[in-house]
Every structure is written in structure tokens, then in C-alpha cells.
Amino acid sequence: MFNLRQSLKTLATGAFLAHVLPLAIASSAIANPAALVESGFWEQEVKSGDLPPIAERLPEVPLVVDLEAKGRQPGIQGGTLNTMVTRSKDIRQMVVYGYARLAGYDENYQLQPDILLDFEVEDNRRFTLKLRPGHRWSNGDPFTSADFEYWWKDVANNLLLNPTGAPDYLKVDGALPTVSFPDETTVIYEWAAPNPSFLHSLAQASPPFIYRPSAYLKQFHADYADAAKLAEEVDYARVKSWAALHNKLDNMYKFDNHELPTLQPWINATSGKKIRHLFVRNPYYHRVDSRGVQLPYIDTVEMEIVAGGLVAAKTNAGEADLQARGLGFRDIPILRKGESDGADYKTYLWGNGTASQIAIYPNLNVNDDQWRQVLRDTRVRRALSVAINRAGINKALYFKLAKPGAMTVLEASPFFDTALRAAWAQYDPELANQLLDEAGLTERDGYGIRKLPDGRPMELVVETAGERQEVENALQIISDDWRDVGVKLVMRPLDRDILRNRVFSGTTMASVWYGWDNGLPQTYTSPAYLAPTDQVFLSWPKWGQYHQTGGDVGEAPDLEPAQRLMTLWHDWEAAKTDEERTRAWQEMLKIHADEVYAIGLVAAAPQPVVVSNRLRNVPQKGIWAWDPGAHFGIYRPDEFFFEDGKG
């Protein structure tokens, strides 16, 4: 039988430190170390001497959470939370949900220190990061500035580990920062030009980890490890070099190396790929409640990997204590039926943080010269948009609970403008026909399908990830709408990774995905994702590649509106006031609305969140958003608990 505690002990790369660390908690709610509550989960290990007591495991200044001030109940430690994902690599969701970040957003999307004790910002150029004295990795190793120094000097700037050099997200105007480490609890990043996105990038769902567990990883680094032992490790792992081994073991986001120390609330206690992955509480986690109870409240999380089509049925059968991933709007009836049939859960309906529930992305960089010419014509994109009956889609698929319209930011953003949601989003087949005629696509075949300039029928292949039935259903409706204006839609479901690779290579004519992940931007949010800076915006993959590689790959943006987006993004980066940043955002959003780079269908479709009746502190109302939000992350699952302490 699998032994959680024994499995966790294999995580430690050395003995737990035995010396006592002083505890000086900056809160009157915890007067002395005696007020701290030892975890029942680790009680046996503490008694046997395999693990130090709680007072020696916490930082000198832990993060003390006032749950009552947040409108939450103080919790009970214990229990196992069951949840599901649909791919083995999605165990990384534990890093997303755990949401231990150097600095993270609260529920109001305000940035707060988390792992950091504090931070200081000078002119958006100099950032001083203060660590918590006595903080430790999950295996007991000290977490200090040495871990930041190791990443910066020995990983990010090691050409064998990173052949392209330090990552682009740290560059401002092509220049890297100066990074210094004055003492073991201080790290300073300093740029010559402002970098207002730096701290906010650290709060992302998939953050840049600018630190590493150096004591663990040095045994796999040629500059530190014994050469003979390292060669044995390389041979055992069946990789080509020490660098390949280091990169394989060092991925803090993937969360697939059960021996890699972490700062997250739960630790991966399962090696290799399994159907069920177990995660156990981190004995050195830095957060406690005001009673001295260490978080997380829940002892273990069991994550089962299931087929996508089974998530709703298994949730309906009561096999999940907390589930939103893999569920969609169409699953609400079966989930509600489970409730009425006596299942031990309730279904909350959260808001959705993506800019559009479904968006079609014409590929302006498609390899086919004829289609490239056609899709780059703004009139064609506008025609395809106004030919769609969004109200019909909303009624048929979302029971009129979503909001039809073009892709733009959501109401919770200060940049929301009703005119942008309405832009080129009215249902007007007559206007669509007029625009297509003006674009020169006047000839038709015997079936009424327009012809491309070279005589081929205008058959637009729209590729999907094949993961959401609502997408296929929407495209069926759009197929009829487009046929009415002489355009044939051919739907092609693919695997997600295959789809993205086809888009990035220019093979795909058009694709379907969600709208922008961040539909809730604030003045501090970088508008980089509105400019052609990244291949992941599926309408301009090669423009994004060009920026990402400094011109080595891809194509330079050659359309004036796209070039203007790049200029405005740089303006935002250089802005000194919120007014200047707001102006940049507003113009960029207007360009997207006018140019229809992505054809949004509906926004704000409710997201079902299934919660066990015994699970507490899960908000009834929330926003299911990737960035900002990290899905459950900003609602702090380490504060969720079972009313009886049992899962």
C-alpha cells in the first residue's frame, strides 16, 4: 500500500536541519511559538525526530492570514481533496491552484507580498525583494538569496542550459537588468529603463521562477557536482549531457519531479506518470492562520487523470470534492441533476475571465498566398464577423446567459467600452455580402460559394482542439451563416498540441480558441498580448516569432495597424502615469475592434464550479480566470477545509 509519509521522505536530498530557528511573528495574534499548532499529519515524524517541530519549520516572520477579516472561517487540518484533470501533464495545475508566488494578487487583483516578506519599487526601474528570514524549501533546505543567485548566474546565463541566454521577459529595450544579492534575504533587480510589468509577471498563473532550489540542483550542475557521479546520473537518466539532465529535473512549473523541493502548499509525492497523483502538505509552508495553525488546512490532494468526456459524469457521481477544470456551460444540467438526485455537492456558477468564450482566429501569416491575401483584407474579416448570428448561438448554446459580441475586455476592467463589444458584431448578412463584394470576391460557383482570386472555392478550414463540444456546436451554426454569404466553413478537429504547431508553422488558415486569457486588465497590466509579441496569439504567429527571436525566425509585421500596436505597447512600457498607460490601452483595444484580428462570439458564459457540501471557504461567487487569477489560485485553496477534517 502506498505510504504518503514514507514517499515524502524520499523528497529530501539531505537530513532535515536540526537547529532551532527563532520565531518572531509580526502579529499580536500569535504571541509565542507555543501558540503554534503542530500538524497531526506530521506528528509521528516530529516525535521520531525525522522532522523538526512546527516552530522550527516556519520562517521567522511567516505570513499570518486573518481569515475573519476575509469573511472566512478558521479551518481544521486534515482530509483528502479529490479532483480531476484530463492530461498527465496537467498535474502542473497544482502549481497554478497552490498559487505560492513571490508576490500574488488578492481577490481584488491587488498585488501583495506572499513568499516575499516585502518589496520596494523605485521608479519602476529598481526592485528590492526582501525574503522571509528562516524560510525553507519543502525538504528543509534554507530558501535564501543564494537560490536567486544560482538561477541568475548558473542557470539563466549558462549557455549550455539556456542556449539563447537569459529569458526575454527580463529584457527592457533589449537590455538585461543588473542583479545583485546584498545579503541572504535581499535580491535587487535594476534596469536602465522602466519595467512596470516585472512584479506583476511574478504573480502569473505560470510565473517565471527567478529562483531555484540550489542545494538540490547543484548535484546535477557541472560547475558544482563531482564529475564521476554526475556522469553516472547522466547515464542512468539516459540523456545526452549534464545540461539535459539538469533541465529535465528542473521544471518548477511542470511539477513532475517529485524530488525537486518546492515552496508550494502541497508537494508532489508520486513519482513518474500515474493515473492518480498524490500531493501532501508542505511541512515548511510559510503561511499560518491567526490561531497559529499552519496552512494548508487540507492534508492531501488526490488528482485523477481521466478522459475529458468523463469529467462531468464522474463529478455528477460525486467523485470530485472540487472541480471546474474540464467542466463547461453545457455540463450544468447534468450537474444540477446530480444535486437534485441527492449527490453530496453543490454547483456554483462563477464568472469567466477570458475575453471571449469562443473566438475564431484568421491566420494572417498563413502559408497559402491566396488565403493570406484574402484574410489580410480587413473587409473580409469584418464580413465574416457580421455574418454570424451571435444571438442565435447564445440562445442555442448558453440559454441567453452569455453576452454576445466582439472580443474585447470584460466589464470588470476599467477599459471596458460597450462600443468595442458591439464593433462589427451585429448580425447583418447584407453588409457581409457587400463587404465581400468590395473585397473583389464576387465570382461564385454553381453552389453559391464565392471563389478566391485563383478560382478555388472559398472554403475556409477552421481547425479546433477538439476538446469542447460547444465549439463544434457553434461552428455548425456559423457554417450555415457563412454559407448564406458564400463562404464554406470546413471544420477540422485536432489534438491541441498539433493544432498549435500547425498554426505556428503557417499551415492553418483559421483556428478556434478562447479569447485573451486576461479579459480583466488593469492599468498595471502590460498590453503586450495585444501587440504581435508572441506566437500564441493565433492570428499572427509568425509576427510573434519575429519579436520573440529578435528577427531570427518569423516575419516582421508589415501591416500598419499591427506596427502601431507595437508602438503603443512600447509607449505603455515607457509611460510614467496611469493616464498615459490608459491611453495606450484604449487605442490598442480600438485597433483590435476595428481590425477584427479575432472574431469573438460570446463572453462571460458562466463557469460551473462543483464543491463538496463538506468543503468550506470556497467562494460562492468568483471569476474563473487564468491570468490574472490562476483559476482557484487567488481564492487561496490552502484556506479551504473540510468541516469534519476528513476528505
Side-chain angles (χ1 to χ4, degrees):
M1 183 175 178
F2 187 83
N3 187 316
L4 281 175
R5 294 186 174 90
Q6 188 60 41
S7 175
L8 186 69
K9 289 174 185 173
T10 66
L11 290 169
T13 59
F16 286 116
L17 300 180
H19 62 280
V20 176
L21 299 175
L23 187 69
I25 299 178
S27 171
S28 59
I30 304 177
N32 56 68
L36 294 169
V37 180
E38 186 59 72
S39 162
F41 186 83
W42 294 117
E43 186 176 7
Q44 180 181 334
E45 282 70 24
V46 172
K47 286 182 178 179
S48 66
D50 291 327
L51 190 69
I54 183 66
E56 298 175 33
R57 300 202 305 268
L58 285 172
E60 293 178 23
V61 187
L63 194 162
V64 181
V65 180
D66 188 343
L67 288 155
E68 292 181 357
K70 299 173 69 172
R72 291 187 170 186
Q73 306 171 23
I76 304 170
Q77 288 186 339
T80 297
L81 184 142
N82 291 281
T83 190
M84 292 174 278
V85 292
T86 57
R87 301 178 299 172
S88 60
K89 67 181 182 181
D90 283 342
I91 61 171
R92 60 191 174 182
Q93 293 303 311
M94 287 301 296
V95 177
V96 179
Y97 299 163
Y99 201 57
R101 302 293 186 265
L102 293 175
Y105 295 114
D106 61 20
E107 293 184 27
N108 297 314
Y109 302 103
Q110 298 303 305
L111 200 64
Q112 307 290 345
D114 180 12
I115 293 172
L116 294 178
L117 176 63
D118 199 4
F119 53 78
E120 298 174 4
V121 182
E122 301 174 39
D123 299 325
N124 279 328
R125 300 170 187 263
R126 180 183 171 94
F127 299 82
T128 302
L129 313 180
K130 299 298 292 184
L131 310 186
R132 298 180 184 276
H135 196 173
R136 295 177 178 273
W137 291 93
S138 57
N139 68 342
D141 288 335
F143 173 63
T144 70
S145 60
D147 297 308
F148 290 77
E149 185 173 14
Y150 177 77
W151 177 78
W152 177 249
K153 294 181 177 178
D154 298 308
V155 178
N157 284 290
N158 186 302
L159 293 180
L160 293 177
L161 294 173
N162 283 294
T164 58
D168 288 341
Y169 65 78
L170 287 177
K171 295 179 181 177
V172 176
D173 296 335
L176 289 168
T178 299
V179 187
S180 57
F181 316 92
D183 56 55
E184 68 175 14
T185 59
T186 307
V187 178
I188 299 174
Y189 273 74
E190 188 168 6
W191 282 266
N195 186 7
S197 301
F198 176 57
L199 282 180
H200 295 280
S201 71
L202 305 179
Q204 292 175 347
S206 174
F209 288 97
I210 60 173
Y211 53 88
R212 289 295 193 276
S214 57
Y216 168 78
L217 287 171
K218 282 181 178 179
Q219 63 184 318
F220 308 111
H221 197 297
D223 290 350
Y224 299 95
D226 177 82
K229 290 183 179 178
L230 184 55
E232 289 180 10
E233 294 283 359
V234 169
D235 184 62
Y236 180 77
R238 297 183 179 180
V239 292
K240 294 182 179 180
S241 66
W242 74 264
L245 175 64
H246 191 286
N247 284 338
K248 178 181 180 181
L249 298 175
D250 170 32
N251 195 313
M252 298 181 68
Y253 176 63
K254 282 187 176 181
F255 220 45
D256 55 357
N257 176 7
H258 72 287
E259 294 184 344
L260 184 69
T262 183
L263 301 175
Q264 298 300 318
W266 293 277
I267 306 167
N268 185 357
T270 306
S271 62
K273 293 185 177 181
K274 302 289 192 301
I275 297 299
R276 293 178 184 271
H277 280 260
L278 291 170
F279 304 86
V280 303
R281 62 182 306 117
N282 178 354
Y284 293 90
Y285 191 53
H286 66 287
R287 304 176 91 230
V288 298
D289 71 16
S290 55
R291 303 169 302 160
V293 178
Q294 186 186 32
L295 302 177
Y297 287 133
I298 293 171
D299 281 340
T300 63
V301 177
E302 184 171 316
M303 183 173 279
E304 183 182 5
I305 300 166
V306 305
L310 295 178
V311 174
K314 291 173 77 68
T315 302
N316 170 270
E319 296 184 29
D321 298 305
L322 181 66
Q323 193 68 41
R325 190 173 180 85
L327 298 177
F329 185 87
R330 71 187 183 95
D331 298 315
I332 293 174
I334 189 175
L335 298 173
R336 294 290 199 198
K337 185 177 187 303
E339 286 185 59
S340 63
D341 289 346
D344 192 24
Y345 67 76
K346 47 192 170 291
T347 305
Y348 297 155
L349 297 183
W350 282 15
N352 200 306
T354 56
S356 187
Q357 186 73 7
I358 303 174
I360 300 172
Y361 294 86
N363 190 348
L364 277 60
N365 301 148
V366 65
N367 295 332
D368 186 306
D369 290 338
Q370 290 288 303
W371 271 110
R372 177 182 290 214
Q373 175 186 338
V374 167
L375 294 176
R376 286 186 172 211
D377 191 321
T378 307
R379 294 169 297 187
V380 172
R381 300 194 299 275
R382 290 171 174 172
L384 294 175
S385 182
V386 299
I388 297 172
N389 184 353
R390 290 172 173 81
I393 292 173
N394 189 27
K395 180 179 179 180
L397 303 185
Y398 301 105
F399 307 109
K400 297 184 179 180
L401 293 176
K403 297 177 181 179
M407 188 173 86
T408 188
V409 298
L410 303 176
E411 287 86 344
S413 169
F415 310 128
F416 178 75
D417 183 343
T418 54
L420 300 184
R421 179 171 282 172
W424 303 104
Q426 72 274 26
Y427 179 46
D428 193 339
E430 184 177 343
L431 176 59
N433 275 311
Q434 177 186 328
L435 290 167
L436 291 170
D437 288 345
E438 290 175 0
L441 301 168
T442 55
E443 294 189 22
R444 302 189 184 222
D445 64 17
Y447 298 98
I449 301 301
R450 295 174 186 271
K451 293 183 179 180
L452 297 174
D454 65 358
R456 285 181 291 162
M458 196 172 177
E459 297 181 351
L460 182 56
V461 180
V462 179
E463 298 179 352
T464 78
E467 298 174 0
R468 295 192 291 156
Q469 187 61 46
E470 63 188 297
V471 169
E472 279 71 19
N473 292 344
L475 290 180
Q476 291 289 352
I477 296 171
I478 294 171
S479 177
D480 293 337
D481 292 340
W482 281 2
R483 180 174 284 276
D484 290 342
V485 298
V487 179
K488 183 177 180 180
L489 187 158
V490 178
M491 180 170 58
R492 179 180 291 163
L494 300 168
D495 173 81
R496 181 192 300 193
D497 293 332
I498 293 174
L499 167 65
R500 293 198 171 199
N501 288 335
R502 284 175 57 84
V503 173
F504 298 160
S505 68
T507 305
T508 297
M509 296 179 190
S511 57
V512 177
W513 193 243
Y514 294 95
W516 300 311
D517 285 337
N518 187 352
L520 307 163
Q522 309 296 313
T523 52
Y524 57 69
T525 308
S526 171
Y529 61 92
L530 269 63
T533 59
D534 196 310
Q535 66 177 353
V536 297
F537 188 75
L538 304 177
S539 292
W540 51 46
K542 295 189 178 181
W543 291 348
Q545 292 163 12
Y546 185 86
H547 173 77
Q548 289 175 290
T549 64
D552 292 340
V553 178
E555 305 168 6
D558 54 352
L559 296 180
E560 190 280 329
Q563 295 168 347
R564 177 61 181 163
L565 288 173
M566 291 296 287
T567 299
L568 289 165
W569 169 54
H570 287 300
D571 289 348
W572 184 92
E573 292 276 326
K576 297 185 184 301
T577 67
D578 284 349
E579 290 74 18
E580 292 174 318
R581 296 186 185 98
T582 296
R583 284 197 295 272
W585 261 104
Q586 289 172 336
E587 185 176 345
M588 293 177 81
L589 289 170
K590 188 174 187 307
I591 289 172
H592 271 269
D594 290 341
E595 294 294 320
V596 197
Y597 289 126
I599 303 171
L601 303 184
V602 298
Q607 168 66 45
V609 176
V610 171
V611 182
S612 165
N613 285 328
R614 294 174 297 109
L615 193 60
R616 298 289 180 264
N617 284 348
V618 183
Q620 235 180 315
K621 297 293 183 182
I623 297 179
W624 182 254
W626 175 250
D627 262 328
H631 290 158
F632 289 121
I634 64 167
Y635 302 105
R636 296 295 180 183
D638 57 355
E639 298 171 12
F640 300 170
F641 70 96
F642 290 104
E643 62 179 0
D644 54 1
K646 299 177 182 179

